[in-house]
Amino acid sequence: MTRTRRLCAVAAVAAAVALTGSGCSVIPVSGPYVVDDTGSGDPLSKPFQRMIATAPQPGWGPQDVLKGLQAAMAAYDDDPTVLPQYLTPEALRGWSPDGAVTVLDDAWNWTFDLGDQDGTESVQKISVKAPQIARIEEDDTYVPLAGNWARPFELVKVEGVGYRVRSLPQGIILTKSDVARAYRPTKLYYLSSGTQDRLVVDSVRLRLKPTKTYAQVVLERLLKAPSAALQGAVSTSFPSGTRIESVRSGEDERVVINLSGPIDPLDLSGEHALMAQIRYSLTNNDVAKGRPIEVQVDGEQYSVSQPNVDQGWLDNGVNTDYYIDNGAVHYMTNEGPGGAVAGPAGQPREGYSNFALSKQGDLVAAQTSTGISITPATQEGQWQEVVQGSPQDLTAPSWHRDGSLWTFDRKNGVVLRYEPGSNRPAERVAAPGLKGWDVTRMRIARDGVRVVLTTGENIVHVGALTQAGGLMLSNVRVPTAREPGGLIEDLAWRDDEHVLVLVKSNAGQTLNEIDIGDGDVTEIPLKNRLRRVAALNEHVLAQAEKGKGKGSEILELSQDQSWKTRIESNAEAPLFPLG
């Protein structure tokens, strides 16, 4: 006879209790617990806590076994021998750790369904529910998610052994605390496939290893292909077959990297891209910062890169602030308003809007009622219409660092690229993923690879310009799981990893900063009603309303997140070259 006893017990279980040393108060015996990794204090590593899982015990109840199983998943990369002990032979044959890692919030809800099957086995069915906050892909991409995750687990009591898991979801399941403990946000640097003169950052999450320094983990990952977001858009200077033999601290606090493989000694010159990839990937992850880097090949020294030497690998063009005054482009000074730029772009003119400046500020683009025009910022310059279309049909112009001008033709649903001086009309750039989309904005990042787009009123997408098989806009994805919650009024690239998005909703206006690497959204406090935003790294400007009938002013964001007036009157649409 089948006997069913249902326990609808819903418990919020914090991972900090269930999966750390304090978990000993919940799970008998001595685990699971965490230990400080021996890499703590090593200048080439980062301190972290490592999960030490324990095998299941005969006296554990179903809930304790499931908590122990989750701890074994958290420790699986370091010790894969414990987790199989929680599974029946049937479950072990059917389960695989491969695939994306599921990241759940620390608080879980448990629903139990306890009963006997055929009078011979005590079976425990547990439904686990929790908010899923992310997924870590096999290429180490951290993908933010929103929504609830619910999966069934089935445990069976084995005579003389205790409960074992007979049915469980595929893959590794971690909590937010597990990820914070064992993973680190990491910046990898690759070469832009289009221009080869710029490094492009690839943001991933790397798992720390107790047997390796963080510096070695970073460099070994750098030898692999970039994440899916940059596939086909970037390249590497490391020849195939390169290996990281060791990374250690040497004399004079230098970092000594020993490589092996088919490396040309010329590739290790101080200004070569390979050395730049190594240096930026280490120093911008706060490893080897301010230290010389010595690169060896098979133990023989080939090159030493000195710290704090700017070789332009993250060049963003001219670092000058501009704004519009009565339809004319003006530059700013430290004291406030500056003069107008040379040529027709610096002369007041009606009907010109959405100005954009090239990398060096020597070319100006603007939108008119009939299309997009450009002019050199010289006395001899003249406005020339290079793309035809109404403001309703074309998105605002955006310059690429290679000197080309981009827009999206909404009427025909195509990306257009115009190359000044080519005497050719704007060419179409393939973008198969955008077919049928209502693209409302498109801006090229200063790295020359990434592209931010908006569709409709409130959806932000990030893509990349790929080169494999011809120039193409692809790899388009939504960078965050958080909805904007209103109408997008403006957006701008702040740096290679962050986009500013100005949003208007019923609750008011917000300025959000989206981290396109991990999807985090940070709200920048506002006091005034803003119209436009522009940014270049730590420098953020905005056009703000002064009040009804009082015109607008240019504000600057201070380090304390307050806004101060930069230009008091006759100032609109702040802008920087590119971005």
Side-chain angles (χ1 to χ4, degrees), residues 175-298:
T175 67
K176 180 180 179 181
S177 294
D178 292 332
V179 173
R181 178 172 49 245
Y183 286 76
R184 291 295 179 269
T186 303
K187 302 176 183 180
L188 306 173
Y189 287 86
Y190 297 89
L191 279 172
S192 167
S193 293
T195 60
Q196 295 286 308
D197 67 344
R198 180 62 150 75
L199 290 179
V200 180
V201 63
D202 190 14
S203 298
V204 296
R205 290 289 176 99
L206 297 186
R207 198 181 193 285
L208 302 178
K209 305 290 184 181
T211 58
K212 298 178 180 179
T213 65
Y214 179 54
Q216 187 166 354
V217 171
V218 170
L219 293 178
E220 288 179 349
R221 177 60 183 83
L222 185 63
L223 293 181
K224 299 178 182 179
S227 69
L230 292 177
Q231 284 286 339
V234 296
S235 60
T236 182
S237 294
F238 289 93
S240 178
T242 302
R243 294 181 301 279
I244 308 295
E245 297 297 338
S246 64
V247 182
R248 61 180 176 83
S249 294
E251 298 179 356
D252 304 325
E253 296 188 341
R254 67 177 53 186
V255 180
V256 181
I257 302 167
N258 186 25
L259 306 177
S260 65
I263 302 174
D264 187 330
L266 294 177
D267 292 343
L268 295 174
S269 62
E271 296 183 0
H272 193 274
L274 188 147
M275 289 298 295
Q277 284 186 257
I278 291 175
R279 170 160 293 286
Y280 282 94
S281 295
L282 291 182
T283 60
N284 285 6
N285 287 300
D286 295 325
V287 182
K289 197 168 187 176
R291 303 175 66 184
I293 296 177
E294 175 184 327
V295 175
Q296 301 176 346
V297 177
D298 296 326

Side-chain angles (χ1 to χ4, degrees), residues 401-412:
R401 63 182 296 106
D402 68 1
S404 59
L405 185 70
W406 294 65
T407 184
F408 187 85
D409 183 348
R410 303 182 67 219
K411 182 178 181 179
N412 298 298

